[in-house]
Amino acid sequence: MKIGLALSGGGFRATGFHLGVLARLADEAAFEKMAFLSTVSGGSMCIGLIHAMNDFCWPTSREFIDKILPKARDVITTHDLQSALIRRILWSPLNILSTRADDLSKLLKRHWDIAITLRDLPEQPRWMINATCYETGKNWRFERFRMGDYSFGYTYNTNIPLSDALAASAGFPGLIGPLVLKTHPHSWFKYVDEGMKELTDPEFHVERKTKSIDPMYPKLHLWDGGVYDNLGLEGLHNFIGGWRDDIDFLIVSDASGRPEPEKYHWWKAPLRIITGVMMDQVRSLRSRAVAERLINHPSEDRGSLLQIGNTCEYTLTDAGREAEISKVCTGCLGKHEADFAANMKTKISRLSEKDYQLLFRHGYEVADYTLYAYNADVFKYKGYMHSRWT
């Protein structure tokens, strides 16, 4: 079974939740089945951290459990990237209005040891790191063999720091801002055969017909991928055909959080509309599109949508398994804890041990009972309280 995995943005809230989801998948020995990874912001930092903890090789399920998780937990409960960024601003007050993406990239190199280029990433699974191109308004993808978007064009020159790609993917408007990419050092092209489906092996892309183009702009501004698609779904799913042909099972881990009601303040209104209302609506529409495929096309597209804040009782009821609630849900986190996890702020400040443990456990449990509720023939229910993680 070839698995496609999409990890949403959401700062360290998302990183902690996704690590719990991945722990449940590791218990299923699913790391060996990963064909595609598509990530945004906190999801991108999660996968970047996993690679860094394993000498930039994709780990086996056993390596993730025994070697990587303890290190990853230590990193995100120890290193406070947000405070470090603020200190850099205070040290350079004349640059207070400048983007901090370069600073974030340097911090990821220093504290997370992310010191390789995109070109140095492993071939499998294929990892798409999603950002948003300000100039084109499209989904910009960084990959091992290629970067670009269909409007601006692409380049096979990927000798750029992985930390830059992660900083762009996480470049939330306000605190961080865009990564500025100079275009002239790269050779750009567009595909002539735009109607051709993408092939599983990225190296075959070099055989596609292309035409060289001159870049439209000398610089590009690459923002948080969540501005365009906070679930990172565009590379794995389309609204007409469903999953990519080379994905057997799609798992979407949505730790986007929930926008809270807020009193009107004129100076905050534009940012709230863009980064709150509009981004949440885009996320909602994409998650509904995935749900539609799962409900109406189960024989064509199998998968699971894992959403932060969903309780065991809610999930089993929605799946028509109310009779199993007393058996399955005993010991699971309740609505209060699930709501608390979903409402954590979107930050890249270090997590307390308590908050990390809550997010990790919630991610594990959501994956556990959601995968079981809708795909019991593939995933058996394990129960966090009976797992190795207690």
Side-chain angles (χ1 to χ4, degrees):
M1 180 170 65
K2 295 180 180 179
I3 296 176
L5 178 65
L7 300 182
S8 78
F12 277 6
R13 175 190 66 243
T15 303
F17 181 84
H18 296 325
L19 286 171
V21 168
L22 287 164
R24 175 62 187 86
L25 295 176
D27 279 347
E28 203 73 27
F31 273 58
E32 290 76 4
K33 302 173 184 177
M34 294 292 178
F36 290 89
L37 305 170
S38 184
T39 62
V40 180
S41 191
S44 296
M45 289 199 286
C46 178
I47 297 299
L49 183 59
I50 289 171
H51 277 90
M53 298 292 100
N54 199 50
D55 297 323
F56 296 97
C57 296
W58 183 246
T60 64
S61 297
R62 176 55 56 188
E63 287 172 334
F64 178 76
I65 291 169
D66 293 341
K67 173 183 175 182
I68 294 170
L69 263 182
K71 294 180 181 179
R73 174 177 181 156
D74 180 65
V75 167
I76 66 172
T77 58
T78 303
H79 297 294
D80 193 328
L81 297 179
Q82 189 157 312
S83 294
L85 281 176
I86 292 172
R87 285 195 297 271
R88 283 176 173 266
I89 294 173
L90 295 177
W91 289 337
S92 305
L94 295 179
N95 297 323
I96 194 169
L97 298 179
S98 301
T99 177
R100 317 313 305 181
D102 288 341
D103 290 330
L104 178 57
S105 177
K106 292 173 183 176
L107 289 171
L108 291 172
K109 288 179 182 177
R110 179 183 303 172
H111 297 297
W112 289 21
D113 295 324
I114 297 180
I116 66 167
T117 67
L118 286 175
R119 187 179 298 168
D120 298 323
L121 285 169
E123 294 184 18
Q124 294 294 328
R126 180 176 168 185
W127 182 17
M128 305 173 187
I129 304 170
N130 297 280
T132 304
C133 180
Y134 174 88
E135 282 74 10
T136 64
K138 304 302 181 185
N139 171 219
W140 183 278
R141 291 180 211 153
F142 294 96
E143 300 189 60
R144 178 185 60 81
F145 73 103
R146 182 189 71 177
M147 66 176 177
D149 69 46
Y150 68 85
S151 178
F152 182 84
Y154 300 94
T155 179
Y156 290 133
N157 302 336
T158 55
N159 191 30
I160 70 167
L162 173 60
S163 58
D164 279 2
L166 299 181
S169 183
F172 192 78
L175 174 66
I176 301 172
L179 179 83
V180 179
L181 177 70
K182 295 180 180 179
T183 59
H184 290 299
H186 306 281
S187 300
W188 298 93
F189 66 87
K190 285 191 174 183
Y191 292 111
V192 175
D193 52 348
E194 284 292 348
M196 179 180 176
K197 289 186 178 181
E198 289 201 358
L199 303 170
T200 303
D201 187 347
E203 301 300 344
F204 287 152
H205 280 273
V206 299
E207 298 178 6
R208 293 179 61 181
K209 293 181 180 179
T210 64
K211 60 178 180 181
S212 298
I213 60 170
D214 293 324
M216 291 184 281
Y217 306 99
K219 295 179 181 179
L220 294 176
H221 297 77
L222 305 176
W223 293 81
D224 181 1
V227 174
Y228 184 90
D229 171 14
N230 201 42
L231 298 183
L233 279 170
E234 187 163 287
L236 306 180
H237 159 269
N238 70 65
F239 287 85
I240 298 174
W243 311 168
R244 299 175 60 104
D245 290 342
D246 35 22
I247 290 178
D248 301 317
F249 198 94
L250 177 63
I251 299 174
V252 182
S253 181
D254 180 8
S256 302
R258 298 171 178 169
E260 298 180 5
E262 183 178 305
K263 183 180 178 181
Y264 179 79
H265 298 286
W266 66 266
W267 66 89
K268 295 172 61 177
L271 187 62
R272 174 168 169 77
I273 290 172
I274 295 170
T275 63
V277 178
M278 294 175 66
M279 287 174 63
D280 183 63
Q281 185 65 7
V282 171
R283 182 205 61 79
S284 179
L285 289 171
R286 288 192 178 273
S287 62
R288 290 174 188 176
V290 169
E292 188 277 332
R293 295 299 302 185
L294 294 173
I295 294 169
N296 296 327
H297 306 273
S299 61
E300 301 172 47
D301 292 327
R302 299 200 65 180
S304 196
L305 177 58
L306 316 176
Q307 293 186 299
I308 194 170
N310 282 359
T311 63
C312 183
E313 290 83 354
Y314 170 85
T315 302
L316 290 189
T317 300
D318 185 68
R321 293 177 174 269
E322 297 95 331
E324 299 180 60
I325 288 177
S326 60
K327 175 183 177 182
V328 173
C329 299
T330 300
C332 289
L333 295 174
K335 189 175 186 305
H336 175 74
E337 292 89 353
D339 286 344
F340 185 84
N343 291 326
M344 284 186 188
K345 298 296 183 182
T346 301
K347 302 185 295 183
I348 52 174
S349 302
R350 74 173 186 86
L351 296 173
S352 67
E353 289 283 348
K354 181 179 179 181
D355 286 349
Y356 171 84
Q357 188 57 39
L358 173 65
L359 287 166
F360 176 86
R361 177 176 175 179
H362 186 44
Y364 185 98
E365 289 187 346
V366 168
D368 195 19
Y369 50 68
T370 306
L371 289 166
Y372 166 73
Y374 298 99
N375 298 278
D377 61 320
V378 180
F379 295 92
K380 305 305 179 185
Y381 181 73
K382 291 186 175 292
Y384 183 85
M385 298 304 293
H386 304 291
S387 72
R388 73 184 82 227
W389 309 107
T390 55

